Amino acid sequence: MSGINRFDFRTIVLLLPVLVLMGLGYQACSKLEFARIEGGDLVIEFNQSMQSRILSASGGEESPLGNYRDSERLLLPAGSEMLFVLEDVETESISGTAGSGEKTVITGSGPGIAKSVSISVYDDFPGMAFFEVVYTNTGEEALEVLGWENNAYHLAAPGSSTSDEPAFWAYQSASHRDRRDWILPLEPGYSEENYLGMNASDYGGGTPVSDVWNRSRGVAVGHVEMVPKLVSLPVESGENEDVKLAVAYKNEMTLEPGAALTTMRTFVYLHTGDFFTALETYRNFMIRQGITFDPYPDTAYEPVWCAWGYGRDFTMKQIYGALPKAKELGFKWAVLDDGWQTAEGDWFLHPDKYPNGVKDMKRFTDTIREAGLRPKLWWAPMSVDPGTKLLEEHPEYALVNKDGEYQKISWWDAWYLCPAYEPARELTREQVRIILEDFGYDGLKIDGQHLNAAPPCYNPEHNHARPEEAVEAVPEYFKMIYDEAREIVPDAVVEICPCGTAYSFFTMPYMNQPVSSDPLSSWQIRLKGKTMKALMGRDVPYYGDHVELSDNGNDFASTVGIGGVPGTKFTWPVGSGGRPRNALTPERESSMKQWLEVYQANMLPKGNYRGDLYDMGYDRPEAHAVQKDRGMYYAFYAEAFEGELELRGLEEGQTYKVRDYFNDVELGTVTGSGGKLQAEFEGSLLLEAVPE
């Protein structure tokens, strides 16, 4: 023990009964009454029962955010209760990949059980504390355990909240079939488990962070394990608008006498602003732990035309006919979507469309290049249809659930392949080589809600040490695809579209073009963009998906304004096939051309997305900012707005010329950070502020 933390020393001298000086440090010799940890503005206090609460020390004043609670506890069968008594607090200096800091170990005991809570804080991550808890059965009888819960906090509603705005907003990271918003205002009575396993047969996974915030501060909790885990991040809002949140892991087990249970490493983070800062800080910590993101190639920033407007029943004549128009408008990628194959899993070329097989497909990709575009191919790996040659010859490749059945992928009426089974992985690797080498493609559009997560696999032929190996193998499966693609085509674009699921952070390093993934609204395009900028870097080439999926089917402003890559699935000429709403009418063509010119002129995705400047929940009108070169670019969104806009993030004392850069209209000047501008708009307003 190197000594009591300098923050703890003051508190312990006042509150603890007996301390005996020992060399360089202090050792408690009797039961303690209080323990305290500080990191940045975050304060964590434990009482004698080892319950804790968190406080904010912002501005030099400490404010409790809620009451004491059993923040770290075992989940026990109904009727069981476990009480602990705080006994010892030890603190030491630490240093590692996360930098230097301090670790405090708080120990206590209850009848037949010992509890040790290890809490680490780092200088480079102020406001963040990392927990690992160990429970040891010190009794003579086995203990039945249902799981554990860490960082379970009860946050009081802010007294300053008004009746016309929610007390809290939340970022919720679980995936559901209804493809709900990832951020939402918390209504009284709201309750969601946020389970990061399967919430439907083919909807699961997510990023292991849950965040709630109000106008003054936010609290995030999550885990920092290096692979996906089957945790829950429950959030509840009471009738008085107070909030409870936690990290929970349900796993029935028997803790034999002398045996110990160690939790995952979890965290709590205190911040200001919306969810952006919490997610970005989580990303930065995970990078320190060894997760790496490659620089994004220029090819990933290029606008996308996709043939999906013609549907699965497309003809090659339709696509050949649209390529010149896509080039003329400024698109750089042409994507061949679902329908080129005979079945998911077999991935044979459809004989009606490619009667000469690979020769016809190679002629198609050559034609795309001759038209001045690059080819990308739709693909849904990790899936296999019933009745395929693959399943007939290799039924052992399939993932088997606990009931002994194949796991269903609903959209294609297919089954999962096991991502942890090496022969299935090798088959996938070979398919990458066929697509990029034999077919001649430069990119992959990897698609399907099943891509975000896999359930546990119980296939006895796979010899898994644990069924959860399939869950944890999904990132490595996509790393294999990503590495293979870039070995063949170094600047290949690897897009993963998990169809409305809440992206898993663990697969993000293995794609270089995330997408809004079948958005249900323009709001989802923008909130997903902010999320991906936080988790994948402020300059990530986030693709806004087909503009036809936005509000009114024409909202390029929601993609371009936040620093996203534009795309479309238009069909041309009018009457050539596909749904009428996708037809490129002269009016749509004129608008699309202007948006592509604006996009190319500014290339905002390569800028610094300033997600820290505006709160997406509380600031109205909704606002986003991108810093690029010497200027700041702002995007404001509202159904209708008239009033004063605040341009945050500008240099103090500097005067800026402000221009509506879409309509090329000068709007005057503002001075300094937070400069005010009178404006009136409907839908959106995109501004450029450049120093005079």
Side-chain angles (χ1 to χ4, degrees):
M1 178 175 66
S2 65
I4 294 296
N5 176 301
R6 64 181 182 275
F7 300 113
D8 292 334
F9 176 74
R10 181 185 65 253
T11 306
I12 291 174
V13 166
L14 294 173
L15 298 176
L16 304 186
V18 181
L19 292 172
V20 177
L21 184 64
M22 296 183 62
L24 297 177
Y26 296 89
Q27 180 173 347
C29 297
S30 67
K31 285 185 173 55
L32 308 181
E33 297 178 356
F34 196 82
R36 176 183 172 97
I37 296 91
E38 296 184 11
D41 289 340
L42 174 66
V43 178
I44 307 169
E45 293 182 340
F46 285 83
N47 63 18
Q48 191 175 26
S49 299
M50 298 191 76
Q51 298 173 319
S52 80
R53 65 176 182 174
I54 53 178
L55 303 88
S56 170
S58 177
E61 295 185 6
E62 293 186 2
S63 303
L65 303 188
N67 298 324
Y68 284 102
R69 192 179 180 198
D70 289 319
S71 49
E72 288 71 45
R73 66 188 181 104
L74 289 176
L75 302 177
L76 302 172
S80 301
E81 187 176 4
M82 189 166 288
L83 302 176
F84 291 94
V85 176
L86 177 66
E87 294 179 336
D88 194 19
V89 180
E90 297 183 0
T91 301
E92 63 178 344
S93 298
I94 56 174
S95 181
T97 57
S100 59
E102 293 175 326
K103 181 171 74 173
T104 301
V105 180
I106 301 170
T107 56
S109 64
I113 192 86
K115 179 179 181 180
S116 172
V117 184
S118 173
I119 306 170
S120 300
V121 295
Y122 298 94
D123 296 339
D124 291 347
F125 294 90
M128 206 168 191
F130 302 89
F131 285 62
E132 190 173 68
V133 186
V134 179
Y135 299 93
T136 304
N137 187 347
T138 59
E140 299 180 356
E141 297 182 2
L143 178 65
E144 299 301 319
V145 176
L146 304 181
W148 52 262
E149 194 173 74
N150 279 5
N151 305 109
Y153 303 113
H154 186 175
L155 309 178
S160 60
S161 66
T162 61
S163 58
D164 61 348
E165 68 178 25
F168 288 97
W169 277 72
Y171 164 79
Q172 307 284 263
S173 59
S175 297
H176 301 275
R177 189 186 297 275
D178 61 9
R179 304 182 180 188
R180 62 193 61 173
D181 293 345
W182 300 351
I183 73 167
L184 72 163
L186 291 184
E187 301 292 338
Y190 174 87
S191 179
E192 182 56 61
E193 183 181 4
N194 288 311
Y195 178 51
L196 298 191
M198 305 306 294
N199 293 308
S201 64
D202 48 357
Y203 282 82
T207 293
V209 180
S210 187
D211 186 37
V212 298
W213 74 93
N214 55 41
R215 281 192 174 275
S216 59
R217 61 183 66 89
V219 175
V221 300
H223 78 69
V224 288
E225 298 295 315
M226 297 294 282
V227 294
K229 297 292 183 180
L230 297 177
V231 301
S232 297
L233 299 165
V235 171
E236 298 179 20
S237 179
E239 292 302 321
N240 61 351
E241 298 187 290
D242 59 326
V243 171
K244 297 177 183 177
L245 73 168
V247 182
Y249 180 63
K250 296 178 181 178
N251 182 33
E252 295 185 18
M253 64 173 293
T254 300
L255 197 61
E256 299 290 346
L261 180 158
T262 302
T263 70
M264 300 170 198
R265 197 177 187 201
T266 65
F267 71 87
V268 58
Y269 176 53
L270 178 70
H271 64 93
T272 56
D274 67 15
F275 66 104
F276 181 86
T277 301
L279 294 185
E280 186 175 56
T281 303
Y282 164 78
R283 161 192 157 86
N284 291 339
F285 184 83
M286 295 300 286
I287 289 173
R288 288 287 190 93
Q289 290 201 126
I291 285 182
T292 58
F293 288 80
D294 293 321
Y296 298 114
D298 288 343
T299 50
Y301 294 92
E302 295 172 340
V304 180
W305 173 77
C306 181
W308 185 236
Y310 292 110
R312 286 193 181 99
D313 297 327
F314 67 85
T315 67
M316 298 308 296
K317 180 180 178 181
Q318 290 170 326
I319 299 175
Y320 281 128
L323 290 176
K325 182 59 68 174
K327 170 62 176 176
E328 177 188 332
L329 289 174
F331 293 97
K332 304 294 185 180
W333 282 95
V335 182
L336 181 62
D337 214 289
D338 187 5
W340 61 268
Q341 76 287 359
T342 57
E344 283 74 40
D346 280 348
W347 303 113
F348 303 139
L349 294 175
H350 200 293
D352 293 344
K353 296 170 182 175
Y354 312 97
N356 297 307
V358 173
K359 182 179 178 181
D360 282 348
M361 181 60 89
K362 187 64 170 63
R363 182 172 72 89
F364 174 61
T365 56
D366 288 344
T367 302
I368 290 175
R369 289 190 181 87
E370 290 168 4
L373 300 151
R374 297 188 72 170
K376 186 196 290 188
L377 186 66
W378 175 94
W379 182 38
M382 214 162 76
S383 65
V384 58
D385 289 345
T388 52
K389 182 179 179 181
L390 173 61
L391 204 57
E392 179 183 345
E393 295 180 353
H394 295 287
E396 74 277 10
Y397 285 14
L399 183 147
V400 173
N401 62 33
K402 196 171 186 178
D403 296 331
E405 304 291 336
Y406 293 154
Q407 184 82 9
K408 181 76 173 290
I409 300 172
S410 59
W411 183 255
W412 295 291
D413 194 23
W415 313 115
Y416 272 87
L417 294 175
C418 179
Y421 187 53
E422 188 54 38
R425 292 161 61 92
E426 187 56 38
L427 178 75
T428 303
R429 187 196 312 272
E430 179 60 25
Q431 189 61 49
V432 175
R433 303 201 76 87
I434 291 171
I435 292 172
L436 290 124
E437 288 187 336
D438 298 351
F439 294 174
Y441 282 89
D442 289 338
L444 298 169
K445 175 185 176 178
I446 302 175
D447 191 31
Q449 67 269 13
H450 69 291
L451 302 173
N452 209 46
C457 180
Y458 295 85
N459 193 325
E461 298 194 47
H462 296 179
N463 296 313
H464 297 312
R466 298 174 296 114
E468 291 79 15
E469 285 185 353
V471 178
E472 298 170 6
V474 172
E476 192 63 28
Y477 181 86
F478 284 103
K479 182 179 187 300
M480 175 266 296
I481 293 173
Y482 180 71
D483 289 346
E484 194 73 16
R486 294 193 313 129
E487 180 180 317
I488 300 166
V489 181
D491 63 350
V493 170
V494 179
E495 169 195 347
I496 298 180
C497 176
C499 298
T501 57
Y503 271 95
S504 168
F505 174 78
F506 302 99
T507 60
M508 290 180 186
Y510 313 123
M511 60 178 165
N512 51 30
Q513 191 180 71
V515 58
S516 65
S517 185
D518 299 313
L520 301 180
S521 66
S522 291
W523 164 254
Q524 284 197 349
I525 292 172
R526 301 191 297 268
L527 73 85
K528 290 180 179 184
K530 186 164 191 172
T531 302
M532 304 312 289
K533 297 280 186 180
L535 291 171
M536 293 188 67
R538 298 185 178 199
D539 63 343
V540 66
Y542 165 72
Y543 170 34
D545 214 330
H546 310 141
V547 71
E548 291 80 7
L549 298 173
S550 66
D551 294 351
N552 301 316
N554 62 3
D555 185 12
F556 274 115
S558 281
T559 293
V560 174
I562 67 171
V565 178
T568 177
K569 56 179 178 178
F570 74 73
T571 58
W572 188 87
V574 176
S576 62
R579 295 183 178 181
R581 71 182 184 187
N582 298 327
L584 187 65
T585 62
E587 181 182 30
R588 287 192 68 211
E589 180 178 340
S590 176
S591 173
M592 196 172 290
K593 184 177 182 180
Q594 183 179 1
W595 277 111
L596 266 290
E597 290 172 350
V598 167
Y599 173 74
Q600 295 285 9
N602 296 297
M603 290 300 292
L604 294 186
K606 292 188 175 184
N608 173 17
Y609 175 79
R610 293 296 306 274
D612 54 314
L613 292 179
Y614 294 97
D615 186 322
M616 201 169 178
Y618 290 103
D619 285 334
R620 292 296 177 267
E622 178 192 338
H624 302 257
V626 178
Q627 187 174 1
K628 189 169 187 288
D629 302 326
R630 297 178 64 236
M632 287 286 290
Y633 294 81
Y634 299 91
F636 296 94
Y637 303 95
E639 185 175 340
F641 177 81
E642 182 178 1
E644 193 172 66
L645 300 176
E646 183 179 0
L647 305 188
R648 300 174 186 170
L650 302 176
E651 185 179 341
E652 286 291 347
Q654 176 68 54
T655 299
Y656 294 80
K657 293 191 299 183
V658 182
R659 180 174 68 98
D660 173 345
Y661 66 85
F662 178 73
N663 295 302
D664 194 20
V665 176
E666 299 293 336
L667 298 178
T669 62
V670 299
T671 301
S673 177
K676 303 296 194 302
L677 182 75
Q678 287 293 131
E680 181 179 356
F681 67 90
E682 292 182 1
S684 62
L685 177 64
L686 308 186
L687 303 179
E688 174 193 65
V690 179
E692 282 193 315

